[in-house]
Structures are given as C-alpha cells and as structure tokens.
Amino acid sequence: GLYDDPDAGDELHHDPLLHTEERHSEDSGSDHGSSPSRTTREQLPRVQANMQSEYDAPPDAHELYQNSHSEWFARLVMILVAVLHTKHRVSFRACALILFTINTILLGLRVLDATNPIPVTLHTIINRFDLQDQFTIYPICAGCHCIFSTDTPINTLCPDCDSRLFKPISNRLFRRLTGQQSQRPPPACAVPIQLPSSLLADFLARGENEQACTSWKSRLTVPGELKDISDGEVWKTIQGPDQKPFFSDPDDDEELRIGVTMSLDWVLRYRAENLLVCFMTPGPKEPTGQQLQNYMKFIVDDLLKLYNDGIIFHTPAYPQGPFVFHQSLDVY
C-alpha cells in the first residue's frame, strides 16, 4: 500500500541498505547493480488485479479504538498523532518524535505504567486503528504509462520506450562492509490502484450507507412525480446481465443492487467520504486518452465481475453476506 515506503525516505534514513540492489556478480566493476534487460511484452509477468469473490466486514471502529490502549489519555494521544499525519501531513519521523516525547513525559511523571507504554511509531498506530489502505503499487513506464506486474524483474526495460522501470542505486560499499541482504528497489515511477469492489466493503460498513442503498425499496412513489433518482425511467428499465430489470425485486433481501456513478459532479450529492478513489495517475502531465485505458482496464474488469457474477460482502446488517451487484447509471 501507500504506507509501504512512507514519507519519501524516512525508512531509508534509518536503514541505508533499504532499496539497494543485490549484486549477483562480485567481479563486475559497476556500482549500479545489474544491467537493464530488454524483454518483449510476452516475456513479462501478466498484469492482473487481485479480484476477490468475497469480502469480510471491516473491524468495528469503536472496538478498535477501545482495544488500541488500556488508558483513555493514551488513546487520545494516538488519535491526535493519526490526525496530524492524515490531515496535516506531519511526517513519520515527526510523529515518532511526538510519540516518544509524550511517552517519556508520562513515564517520568509515573502517570503511565512502564509495562504498557504508548506506541512510539506511527506504523504501530496505523496497525492498531486499522488505517491501512487497500492500494497495490504497480511499476509503470513514465513515458507510455504501461503498467507492469508487481513481480516484474528489477532490471527490466519498458518494451515500448526502453525506459528503466526500477531505480538503480549504488550498493557495493554498504553490502561489502555489512554483508547484509538488500530489499527490492522502488519503481522509478509507480501508480497506486485499488478495485471498486474492495472499496465497497468499507463503504457499506460506514454509517447508514447500507440502509441508504436499500431505501429505494420502501419509498412511496406518486405517478408523474420525480423526487428521487429511483423515480426515473432509466432506473426502472435498465437491464441486468439476465436481460431483466436490474432494480426489479424490492422484496429480495439476499441481494443488494447498487447504482454507481463515475465522475459525477453534482454538488447536492457530493460527499467526500462516499467517493471511491480507485487510482491516482502520476504527474506532472495528465495521461492521454489512450494511456488512460491502461488504468481503466483494472476498474472495468472489476465492475464487469460485479455486474455479471456479484460479490459477497459480509456487512453489519447481513453478517452471512448478501450478494452485491453493481450497475453503472451515469458515466461522465
């Protein structure tokens, strides 16, 4: 995810061997790892998203908060640091400094038991509050925006542009002095992608979203009056994969049918917490329409699976997991 390599080098600051390339030949005079390899697209690992057919319900936020620490003031400190990082972009190292300082003060005042200290790293807080994202980081070519598999060899060149996909980093001095093994180097350019189906699991567990998605079943409608999107002709006639009306059976509690809009700009319906961010293209320039298809393929393939087969989501209202089907209503 996005937290695997945090804060543009925080981890590298603590471990100089991080993201250095393992040398396979000690006789080579180069300090920059293995030579780039030109391969055809057919020789590269196939790029495909990890689409699941079933999703568990996310952990309960209240339980996560209560179980994060036994002391109420320690939980408040952890929440404060998490907010500073997510809302105000305080770095990992700065967060660690804040946590270490507060922890030391509380231990010195004997307010906090030494056997139960406050976490001193932001990573621990992210894990305890289950704040990890669902992004998968894919290496891409900065020139043509072709996306490559996460297990692509680190010396691979883009078959179309001859651009190196991973950063060459000198490692000879550190590895000879320490003898430690190195980690995989970071991509020269990368894109975070998460599928709509994985985002729906969190969306349905948030607040009253699940109830709102089924509210159309119990609405009283007056013929000729259009007060909701479900009163429109498209809602009533749009077909599913079985050629029957998609929103056809209001009494079926085994299935949850959701209409999703893509890039809808409507201020009355806009709620930031309900936006499903599936990918973020790298800059500084926007990709062309043709290049954008490389990213959209992940999303469309996942939406087709939702539309044709459905996916089981274990939700608060349906712990056993109803089938959820998706239908795109508007595309802008």
Side-chain angles (χ1 to χ4, degrees), residues 112-123:
L112 195 63
D113 191 343
T115 61
N116 189 26
I118 296 176
V120 293
T121 65
L122 183 58
H123 273 296

Side-chain angles (χ1 to χ4, degrees), residues 21 28 30 32-38 154-157 164:
E21 213 170 342
S28 171
S30 171
H32 294 279
S34 56
S35 301
S37 172
R38 289 176 173 81
I154 59 177
N155 61 341
T156 302
L157 295 178
R164 188 158 185 166

Side-chain angles (χ1 to χ4, degrees), residues 243-275:
Q243 304 305 312
K244 297 180 181 179
F246 187 77
F247 302 101
S248 58
D249 191 356
D251 298 323
D252 188 356
D253 292 331
E254 297 299 322
E255 294 182 359
L256 176 61
R257 304 212 166 199
I258 302 177
V260 178
T261 59
M262 299 181 66
S263 300
L264 178 63
D265 185 12
W266 186 5
V267 66
L268 296 178
R269 293 277 180 173
Y270 178 85
R271 291 184 180 178
E273 65 271 19
N274 291 339
L275 294 179

Side-chain angles (χ1 to χ4, degrees), residues 86 207 219:
T86 56
R219 279 190 68 253

